[in-house]
Amino acid sequence: MGQLFDAHARLFDGLIYEIDAYGRRPGCDPELISRGLEPITDLERRGMAQLSEVDTELLTHKLTAIVEEARDVYMALSITESVITGDMNCALFTASGDPVAVATGIYFHTMLNNAQIKYATKYYRNDPTVGLADGDIYFFNDELGGGVHAFDMFTAMPVFWKGELVAWATCGGHQGDSGSPTPGGFNAKARTRYEEGIHVPMMRIGERFRLRQDILDFLAGSVRNPFVFAADLKSRVATLDVLRKRLLREIERRGVEPVVGGMRRILIKSEEAARARLRELTDGIFRAVMFNDDELGGQLGLTRIPVTLFKEGDGMTVLVQGVSPENGLGPMHSTWHLVRASTAVYMFSYFFRGLAPNAGLLQPIRYLVEGPSIANSRDELAHGMGTSISACVVNGLHVLGSKLLFSSPHREAVQAPHSRNIMLMIFAGENRLGYATANFTGSANASGQGGRFDSDGESAVGFYWGPFTDAGETEDTDARLPHFVLARRLEKNYHGFGRYRGGSPLVEISTCGHLGCFMSSWGSADKISHNPGLMGGYYGPPNPRVVIKNTDLFERIERGEEVDISQYELLTRRKLKGEYRLEASGQATQAFKPGDLMCFGLGGGGGYGDVLEREPERVLGDLRENLITAEVALKIYGVVVDPATGLIDSAASTRRRAAIRRERLRKGKPFAAFMRAWQRKKPPEAILKYYGAWPEPRTPGYDKPFWGLYR
Amino acid sequence: MKLIRITEYLDIELERERWRCNRCGADFGPAREPWKKGALIRERDPREIHFPIGPSKEFNFSFDPKWMRIVEFYCPKCAVMIDNEYLPPGHPLTWDIQLDLDQLKAKHGVTPVRKRRESGPK
């Protein structure tokens, strides 16, 4: 696997690393899921022989334009809240099922769709009871068959040319309700997958380019929002039609062999480009460790998700080992394929930035994800929030990638990770247009970016899984969802501090109209955070749920009072009467009524670099923009602001920073002295119940000063 | 002396295989070992950095100190914070960067000091 890996890694006996931790089951073949690119076909080989580099480049741009147009079509046609704001993707695949052209959107959606396409090709195409024909329409949302979770739903269509299968088109996204016990799908209390709604592996739902009404009725009848579901499904079929027609037009213009061969050549070029970039980087082993505060059996428990990266020559191995075991007490269980696909969001957007995003980019990377564990879990468990675990892998990888890239020509991609402190509120009920709806708002797409090596992270920049998403317009949200938005704000001290600070999230504060509504929520990072800083920058803060019940907001508005609706002001000054509830993110469905407030934000990015190197003028800017408090300016950044003038006292700031540096030298201990005291400490037993062996979940009695040294 | 920039605050002196502070040049020890062994290390209550917000002791936008501590790593000479880790109390540290020094030297055309002497004039 590589000299470094062979010399330093040791995989544990009896555990699974290179494939999902479950076997073949209906609609699901883990062996197919774990495959890389399929072999080159004869048609592709003939086509590649006809192509110049210019031809390939032109085709790359053409296919990219097609999938981007499809993205616009899907977002414009759908009435699903999260699709409208960008939690979706569209793509074109080879006939063998490898994604070639991937739209800007949620990259991991597309990087998972290959599994079900390959399944249909292998198992259904020649099955006389199913078959595969021009005009077929397929649907799937089963997380075991290669999906994310039941709430992300996808549609696929084969593309035929003169009777020959030449490509596949896919589109899909976060639909919302899945018929689980919780409106909106996410069931924070689920322990098995049978509590997360319908699971549909690759299923033909239409023929001859038309949906079958009986199947549509079955699917729409399985969820709480049939009107939204059916409208969204039809919009996907329309989008697939666009993808198919545009691709066939290219075939008419260029010929089938150059297009099919060009699609393969694009994949090969991406792999070559990825390997060339890897060769520019320093070889070595890089490690990061993340932790989760999952709700397990009614109380929060600590779990661990470490990542080790072996970079050797033009290849890499991502090793996720020493993970906490499965607990079976909640839905925060990921799968091998979700971990792999999730990393595409970082790899495509940052690590391999500038390269054409497709399956070729991941071809030089080997993924070893220890299972059974919370990162690579078995089939019967609930997986609805497995993205919280795969995100920990991605954020660890983001830190490692930044450390690897810093000394390379690609330093521009160095930054602390985008916020992944998910606390997602799902609103359900009847909207102002008179139909049932259940989803989250675009504020999910407005979390904070991590601090960059040369600048601050952007505030409210996008969704963790899709930097290209949008927060949406509040007026539209008010019409489409059962609650309405009172305020959207950037809050104080809601990001990681550093030489370049992290970005703050958009915090949306909302209440219900006269019909009331239901709201459930899920997430973690309530007592800890998933948003690391980088190179000395501090983490973005934890992100618990904030609800204020029975406020006197409407009475005050009726009296004509001005009310400053900001989460920070509400929590620190408590100007509104009411019952202030700060709690863990994962909560079952509750009824809300007018005047109950819900505060919804997805956390701030970590900082970059030592806080004492932040330019005082930038600190003053943060203070003036209400991004930090005076206490942070003074105690964290060591910047003294004259309260009379509001200007920086330079001499006092210099003294203050010198004093902080002296304190560091005084309180910092040499390694041996530090370890003597540190290794005697341990978290409370109550939170380690599902962690595994302390401190190494798979290695009882581990007493080395550094984790992960298993040889 | 050939210094190779590795991170914002760390260089490697290739010939002698030593970690060095990028800001002041302080020596952090052998580059085949974790640089953290040459740093000053300080454990901090996270509430010193992430000030709690709101009325709850359990959930307040700060880290629960029973769950997580901040471990800061400083240059022993200039006190710059080279990095930090957020770890449960007592959890082993992270050997974050373990470079293939032989590959790095070959890439930069640096011959190890010992080998250079051996291959010198006799």
Side-chain angles (χ1 to χ4, degrees):
Chain A
M1 200 174 289
Q3 288 182 359
L4 282 178
F5 186 91
D6 293 342
H8 296 280
R10 180 176 74 84
L11 303 183
F12 300 140
D13 293 337
L15 296 177
I16 294 166
Y17 288 91
E18 294 191 75
I19 195 167
D20 277 310
Y22 49 85
R24 174 107 164 77
R25 48 176 294 132
C28 163
D29 183 348
E31 191 280 321
L32 279 180
I33 296 173
S34 64
R35 279 189 193 171
L37 298 182
E38 296 297 323
I40 301 172
T41 65
D42 291 339
L43 181 61
E44 290 170 341
R45 206 177 298 280
R46 290 198 301 276
M48 282 196 289
Q50 302 170 29
L51 291 166
S52 69
E53 283 297 306
V54 174
D55 293 333
T56 308
E57 197 63 26
L58 286 173
L59 187 66
T60 304
H61 286 277
K62 190 66 202 178
L63 298 185
T64 302
I66 291 173
V67 294
E68 291 298 338
E69 180 195 3
R71 167 186 155 89
D72 289 345
V73 169
Y74 184 27
M75 290 173 72
L77 291 179
S78 177
I79 60 168
T80 295
E81 193 66 30
S82 37
V83 172
I84 291 169
T85 52
D87 188 352
M88 44 72 71
N89 210 345
C90 303
L92 287 167
F93 289 66
T94 63
S96 312
D98 291 315
V100 173
V102 185
T104 46
I106 311 299
Y107 283 139
F108 76 60
H109 284 171
T110 300
M111 294 305 294
L112 291 165
N113 289 171
N114 60 338
Q116 291 283 265
I117 290 175
K118 291 182 180 182
Y119 193 91
T121 306
K122 179 174 180 180
Y123 293 104
Y124 295 158
R125 188 176 185 182
N126 298 317
D127 184 324
T129 68
V130 189
L132 188 66
D134 201 9
D136 281 353
I137 303 165
Y138 275 88
F139 176 93
F140 52 95
N141 76 331
D142 189 351
E143 82 277 10
L144 297 178
V148 184
H149 42 209
F151 338 117
D152 285 352
M153 302 184 184
F154 303 98
T155 317
M157 179 181 280
V159 181
F160 282 82
W161 172 258
K162 296 182 177 175
E164 183 167 10
L165 178 68
V166 292
W168 282 85
T170 70
C171 80
H174 191 98
Q175 203 282 329
D177 199 86
S178 61
S180 84
T182 307
F186 289 110
N187 180 2
K189 308 299 179 186
R191 295 187 174 195
T192 71
R193 79 191 219 101
Y194 308 108
E195 298 160 70
E196 297 185 315
I198 55 170
H199 295 82
V200 182
M202 196 69 162
M203 180 171 76
R204 187 165 60 201
I205 60 170
E207 296 166 76
R208 295 181 292 281
F209 307 106
R210 299 184 67 171
L211 288 168
R212 268 181 54 174
Q213 189 61 44
D214 55 341
I215 296 176
L216 179 58
D217 287 345
F218 159 69
L219 291 171
S222 299
V223 297
R224 292 177 182 80
N225 53 350
F227 176 67
V228 177
F229 181 95
D232 188 65
L233 190 53
K234 290 173 181 175
S235 70
R236 286 175 206 181
V237 175
T239 306
L240 293 175
D241 192 47
V242 169
L243 284 163
R244 174 182 167 277
K245 284 178 176 166
R246 293 285 189 266
L247 183 66
L248 289 177
R249 192 171 69 181
E250 287 309 304
I251 291 175
E252 286 170 4
R253 289 172 59 190
R254 300 169 194 266
V256 67
E257 289 184 350
V259 171
V260 170
M263 291 170 75
R264 167 60 67 167
R265 183 75 190 117
I266 289 168
L267 287 171
I268 293 172
K269 277 190 69 175
S270 280
E271 180 181 348
E272 290 171 347
R275 291 192 184 280
R277 184 161 294 187
L278 288 171
R279 278 193 294 272
E280 293 181 90
L281 310 180
T282 303
D283 284 1
I285 306 169
F286 301 82
R287 299 182 187 84
V289 61
M290 300 288 297
F291 300 90
N292 191 30
D293 52 349
D294 193 354
E295 185 185 333
L296 302 166
Q299 66 178 53
L300 293 175
L302 187 72
T303 56
R304 188 179 96 152
I305 309 100
V307 188
T308 304
L309 181 69
F310 295 81
K311 154 67 185 67
E312 298 189 70
D314 66 354
M316 293 203 301
T317 301
V318 174
L319 174 62
V320 184
Q321 185 181 26
V323 187
S324 290
E326 295 174 340
N327 51 67
L329 295 172
M332 288 195 186
H333 291 92
S334 185
T335 53
W336 181 92
H337 60 268
L338 181 58
V339 167
R340 178 181 183 273
S342 296
T343 68
V345 175
Y346 167 65
M347 301 304 287
F348 290 8
S349 305
Y350 298 95
F351 194 85
F352 287 135
R353 65 191 293 173
L355 305 183
N358 58 52
L361 291 184
L362 296 190
Q363 196 67 5
I365 307 171
R366 188 172 192 186
Y367 290 85
L368 302 176
V369 185
E370 181 180 275
S373 74
I374 55 171
N376 182 5
S377 58
R378 285 176 291 192
D379 47 357
E380 295 292 302
L381 302 174
H383 303 99
M385 300 169 197
T387 47
S388 283
I389 304 304
S390 69
C392 285
V393 175
V394 177
N395 268 8
L397 192 61
H398 199 137
V399 169
L400 303 183
S402 291
K403 290 182 177 178
L404 180 53
L405 290 172
F406 190 91
S407 61
S408 80
H410 305 286
R411 190 178 294 174
E412 74 274 6
V414 171
Q415 66 168 84
H418 194 129
S419 170
R420 172 58 197 188
N421 281 351
I422 200 154
M423 193 287 301
L424 198 64
M425 289 181 170
I426 297 104
F427 307 96
E430 184 180 318
N431 66 10
R432 249 74 69 201
L433 301 171
Y435 58 81
T437 181
N439 217 318
F440 49 85
T441 81
S443 286
N445 302 336
S447 55
Q449 186 184 31
R452 294 167 280 188
F453 85 99
D454 61 351
S455 52
D456 292 340
E458 295 288 342
S459 293
V461 72
F463 186 36
Y464 177 79
W465 294 121
F468 321 101
T469 48
D470 182 62
E473 296 295 333
T474 51
E475 292 81 2
D476 295 340
T477 302
D478 287 350
R480 287 191 298 257
L481 288 174
H483 67 309
F484 67 90
V485 177
L486 296 165
R488 282 180 164 183
R489 304 281 291 260
L490 300 180
E491 302 284 353
K492 292 174 185 168
N493 299 355
Y494 209 178
H495 58 263
F497 311 125
R499 175 181 175 182
Y500 297 111
R501 60 161 174 75
S504 294
L506 192 69
V507 176
E508 182 177 283
I509 302 174
S510 55
T511 188
C512 298
H514 68 284
L515 291 175
C517 71
F518 295 93
M519 192 271 285
S520 60
S521 60
W522 74 277
S524 53
D526 301 313
K527 295 172 87 66
I528 62 176
S529 166
H530 296 163
N531 299 341
L534 190 68
M535 317 270 184
Y538 288 113
Y539 267 52
N543 197 36
R545 180 171 115 147
V546 179
V547 161
I548 311 173
K549 300 279 280 186
N550 303 313
T551 72
D552 56 348
L553 173 69
F554 285 165
E555 291 88 331
R556 288 185 180 223
I557 291 173
E558 283 170 9
R559 289 201 298 267
E561 290 183 28
E562 288 284 332
V563 184
D564 183 5
I565 300 180
S566 129
Q567 178 174 275
Y568 185 87
E569 297 301 325
L570 286 169
L571 291 178
T572 54
R573 296 173 188 264
R574 305 184 73 171
K575 282 185 177 175
L576 286 180
K577 289 180 184 171
E579 183 188 340
Y580 286 68
R581 294 182 184 172
L582 284 105
E583 51 201 350
S585 297
Q587 299 289 335
T589 308
Q590 297 166 13
F592 286 78
K593 64 181 191 310
D596 293 340
L597 298 192
M598 300 165 278
C599 303
F600 176 25
L602 260 68
Y608 177 94
D610 186 353
V611 285
L612 296 186
E613 291 192 344
R614 185 164 179 77
E615 293 171 12
E617 290 74 18
R618 285 180 178 266
V619 177
L620 185 62
D622 292 343
L623 198 56
R624 287 176 172 167
E625 291 174 18
N626 285 321
L627 291 176
I628 59 170
T629 57
E631 188 181 20
V632 167
L634 180 68
K635 293 183 178 175
I636 306 299
Y637 287 113
V639 171
V640 181
V641 177
D642 185 332
T645 64
L647 300 175
I648 295 167
D649 183 334
S650 297
S653 298
T654 301
R655 289 195 298 275
R656 172 78 189 143
R657 287 186 162 184
I660 293 175
R661 290 193 177 94
R662 285 195 299 275
E663 182 183 79
R664 289 177 173 182
L665 294 176
R666 193 172 66 249
K667 294 192 172 177
K669 295 176 184 171
F671 179 77
F674 174 83
M675 292 308 300
R676 272 197 299 278
W678 179 251
Q679 287 186 300
R680 286 199 294 268
K681 301 188 176 191
K682 188 179 179 185
E685 290 294 342
I687 69 170
L688 293 178
K689 200 170 173 183
Y690 303 102
Y691 177 93
W694 173 263
E696 277 284 345
R698 303 285 181 174
T699 318
Y702 190 92
D703 60 357
K704 296 176 183 174
F706 294 91
W707 62 265
L709 306 180
Y710 305 126
R711 305 170 68 110
Chain B
M1 182 171 72
K2 187 146 190 167
L3 287 176
I4 303 297
R5 186 91 178 264
I6 302 298
T7 72
E8 180 68 46
Y9 299 111
L10 289 169
D11 296 339
I12 282 182
E13 184 188 342
L14 268 187
E15 291 92 340
R16 296 178 58 234
E17 297 187 1
R18 308 290 292 183
W19 288 108
R20 304 285 292 262
C21 175
N22 174 269
R23 295 296 190 265
C24 73
D27 190 323
F28 280 72
R32 291 184 191 269
E33 292 284 313
W35 62 266
K36 290 173 181 175
K37 288 186 172 180
L40 288 179
I41 312 176
R42 176 185 178 191
E43 177 193 350
R44 299 191 72 171
D45 185 325
R47 294 171 297 186
E48 294 173 17
I49 306 298
H50 306 277
F51 304 134
I53 298 170
S56 171
K57 288 185 178 174
E58 286 294 309
F59 301 101
N60 49 36
F61 296 88
S62 188
F63 293 74
D64 188 323
K66 296 191 294 294
W67 288 60
M68 202 64 65
R69 312 291 289 186
I70 302 176
V71 180
E72 298 186 345
F73 302 91
Y74 308 132
C75 169
K77 189 174 164 192
C78 71
V80 72
M81 180 151 55
I82 296 153
D83 210 340
N84 60 55
E85 291 198 62
Y86 284 56
L87 296 171
H91 187 279
L93 305 180
T94 304
W95 187 354
D96 59 340
I97 305 173
Q98 187 179 357
L99 296 178
D100 181 342
L101 283 181
D102 298 327
Q103 183 250 8
L104 192 63
K105 285 179 170 179
K107 187 175 168 183
H108 291 278
V110 172
T111 310
V113 173
R114 181 164 39 83
K115 287 186 181 172
R116 213 165 42 200
R117 282 181 188 145
E118 287 167 358
S119 61
K122 297 181 179 170

